[in-house]
Amino acid sequence: IELLVAAGHIEKTPQSISTFFHTNSDLDKRAVGDYMGEADELNKSVLYAYVDQMSFADLTIDGALRKFLSGFWLPGEAQKIDRMMEKFAERFCGCTGAFVNADTAYVLAYSIIMLNTDAHSPKVVKKMTKEEFLRNNRGINDGADLPADFLGDIYDRITASGFKVDGNEETAAPTASGAAPSTQERYRVEAQQLMTTAQGQLRKAAETSAESKGLFHRASQADHVRHMFDSVWAPMLAALSLLMEEMFDARLCNQCLQGLVSSINILSLFRMDSQRDAFVASLTTFTGLESIGGGVRELRQKNVEAIKALVLVARTAGHLGGSWFPVLRCISLLDRLHLIASGQAPLNPQDSLSIEEANIVLIEQVDTSQVDRIFSNSSLLSDEAIVDFVRHLCSVSREEIESNPAAPRVFCMQKIVEITYFNMSRIRIVWSKIWSILCLHFEGVALGPNPQLAMYAIDSMRQLALKFLEKDELTSFHFQRDFLKPFDHVIAHSKVSETKELAVRCLTVIVLSCSRNIRSGWKNTFQALTVAARDQNPAIVQLSYDLLVRIVNDFFPHIIEDKSFGSVGYVDCINCLCAYAGNTRIGDKSAFAIDMLSRCTALFVSSHHLSDAQSSLDASSSPTTSHDPHIDRQPSPGVANSSSRNDAEANVRLWFPVLTGLGRLVANDPRGDLRNRAMQELFGVLNAHGGGFSEEMWLLVYQGVLYPIFDDVIHVDEVPDTEWLSTTCGPAMEALTAVFSKHFEVTSKLLDHHLSLLSKCVVHVNETVAEIGISNVRRLLNESGAGLKRENWGVVCEVMREMFDRSGPLSDEELRGEGSVGGRVAR
């Protein structure tokens, strides 16, 4: 690349280099993959440009992945593959919109890569079945399952034909070297079969021969060890355990501990879980830590040596699975002894002072730096092992907290924060599993009964969030949303005001520090503020309101510019502002919230009108309708109808949250001045932009927003007179009729709905409401009568006749209760 740039053949820009890769098929495919997988900014930009130049429209995800991998070999490093799969998932969702979000495409693409390697690698003897493939992909579609037929078809296509690089018949799987020739592969398989048969015969001979001479064989494969250990582990464990229990000779005990440690390492390597758990259980017993945790016995020197062996196992074994719990529990109890030795923790009431002092002297022999390395080296654990490690560390942390709720130890909580820092650079598919465990633990601690511990958990989440949000998030992903979810959860469910207040303060720090990198995280931010807006504590409401004002004033233009999350952020912001506007305890701030709502709507409309290409309301279609009220609304009928159809969904997403929020304020808020302010804004929007609504949109607005405003009018028998009827009903009905008449060209199909509402006013028992109904019927006919068609006049006359019938004098029968107005109208 440097040579070509120096010679002037290409430019040192991502677009030029990626085009060069696309147009030169004779390049070294492995070198191309390694170059685009590097973490340097230029290399990442080249990868992004390379993928953006590809179109995956009309392709299934495995077909798109096959096309994507046809131009280069996947590198062998997991971080490189992770970056490539992230960008592929973003581009695939952008081209097809096939899944709920890009996370689904990302996880499924990874799963397909693993299936391809499993199905076509000669090193894999036991192949993945279709049922296993389906089971591995459960719940990846934002918590839901993908259709079994869809996944089954992918499995069939991949197993039938692996990924291939252009010009090369080998499959494009991330392997260290090329596949062996077919003759050698057949030889290897036959040799494996012969070896397996021979092993079975040898085992059978050993079991049946009474005169075995103890003949030794040199092992040719590591797997022989598995079968040997499978035969001898039980008596070996019994022998080592018995000697450790009964003997006190230092040299003999150390040899036994070496045997236990080596056995655990071997069993972990071969994933012999039940046998490994038995050896670990024996080793943890010899540490004596579980006994002193209950205040039972004094430690001896061999217990200290067993503790050192246990620390060594934790540092070297790797795949401990379920055995991590007893190991980490002993590490936690060891920390307690160190705290007692340093005077930072009290003695157990049931322990004698002399025993504790003796234990403290012995425990000082254990090097704490070796213990710290267990956690600092957690980044070296395999992807599977780190998930087990985190799960059991959280379990031990819960045990620490529950053992003494009034004054809990936080050793494991501190270590959780540390390992989260150390492992934050893992590939996202692994990190999401880690965080799903940590998230539940942090939430549980933050909602616990101890306020100091809750604050520690929230502050820890703040530190982690600041670190995590340094990383960019690609379009259509929502890792940030998952990461910030605990703040939303704590504010919504905590019963302690101090805890909620700290959560809001921490969220404020996160937003102000990382606003430029937040994308999907805005959803959780606005949800948390919406919950805080309804809180009973004025301090929490004020803190959250101040943060919302900062977001609207400083960051809202940045939020709505986002192609993927702009429209979602806009809707969430509007809902949040409506929540503050409806809060009766914040005084003038409610009216200011309505002003901010108006300003946000104007900014959103303006930005999307000026740059339709950036519209995130309907990315799959080209916006054609402007929301500018000054544009002529009189195009030809065909053009108008086409425009309405194209932008119907966009109008719903843009306007419906605004209109419903304002409508609820007009209908339900107890403050007359705020109702008037919300009413002005509501009908101002309809006046200015209603001409661009389709007939379907108007029907939705009328039934979902406007009709419910007049609930007191509709339920005439239940609500004969209210403050709302005497103050707000008249101005609201006049504004509605004015808007209806102004946009009669598109509202005419709703004439029967509006006349029905007016007739309910006319027959209302409240004289003022009846006069409001009559005046608005007159106004409607005066302003819209010229546009009424024959079928419209039929509706008008029918409704007016019903109004006359219902509002006329009662007959003698009706006065005596023997008849009804409804019956008279029916007759």
Side-chain angles (χ1 to χ4, degrees), residues 573-642:
C573 182
I574 294 299
N575 291 334
C576 187
L577 287 167
C578 289
Y580 283 94
N583 191 323
T584 59
R585 298 183 299 277
I586 59 175
D588 295 340
K589 295 182 177 65
S590 294
F592 188 63
I594 295 179
D595 293 337
M596 286 194 292
L597 183 149
S598 176
R599 182 149 47 93
C600 289
T601 302
L603 278 172
F604 190 82
V605 171
S606 175
S607 65
H608 286 72
H609 168 55
L610 293 176
S611 180
D612 285 339
Q614 295 182 3
S615 176
S616 58
L617 288 171
D618 191 0
S620 62
S621 63
S622 300
T624 56
T625 300
S626 168
H627 300 295
D628 192 326
H630 302 294
I631 291 181
D632 184 14
R633 298 291 183 182
Q634 306 295 329
S636 65
V639 173
N641 291 338
S642 174

Side-chain angles (χ1 to χ4, degrees), residues 150 233 301 305 321 334 347 369 514 614 641:
F150 171 75
W233 74 270
Q301 183 60 41
E305 298 303 322
L334 177 64
L347 299 175
S369 65
C514 307
Q614 295 182 3
N641 291 338

Side-chain angles (χ1 to χ4, degrees), residues 419-489:
I419 66 164
T420 306
Y421 271 114
F422 295 139
N423 290 275
M424 202 171 282
S425 60
R426 285 186 180 265
I427 62 175
R428 295 196 185 251
I429 195 170
V430 177
W431 171 249
S432 62
K433 294 178 181 178
I434 295 173
W435 183 247
S436 65
I437 299 169
L438 295 177
C439 178
L440 292 175
H441 185 62
F442 279 124
E443 289 176 356
V445 174
L447 296 176
N450 189 303
Q452 287 76 24
L453 193 59
M455 291 183 179
Y456 180 85
I458 293 171
D459 190 62
S460 298
M461 291 190 295
R462 175 191 62 80
Q463 298 175 44
L464 295 174
L466 290 173
K467 179 69 175 176
F468 181 80
L469 289 173
E470 293 176 1
K471 305 167 71 172
D472 293 332
E473 183 180 60
L474 296 180
T475 302
S476 299
F477 284 90
H478 56 59
F479 292 115
Q480 293 179 357
R481 192 181 75 187
D482 296 337
F483 204 92
L484 294 177
K485 178 184 175 183
F487 292 97
D488 178 16
H489 187 80

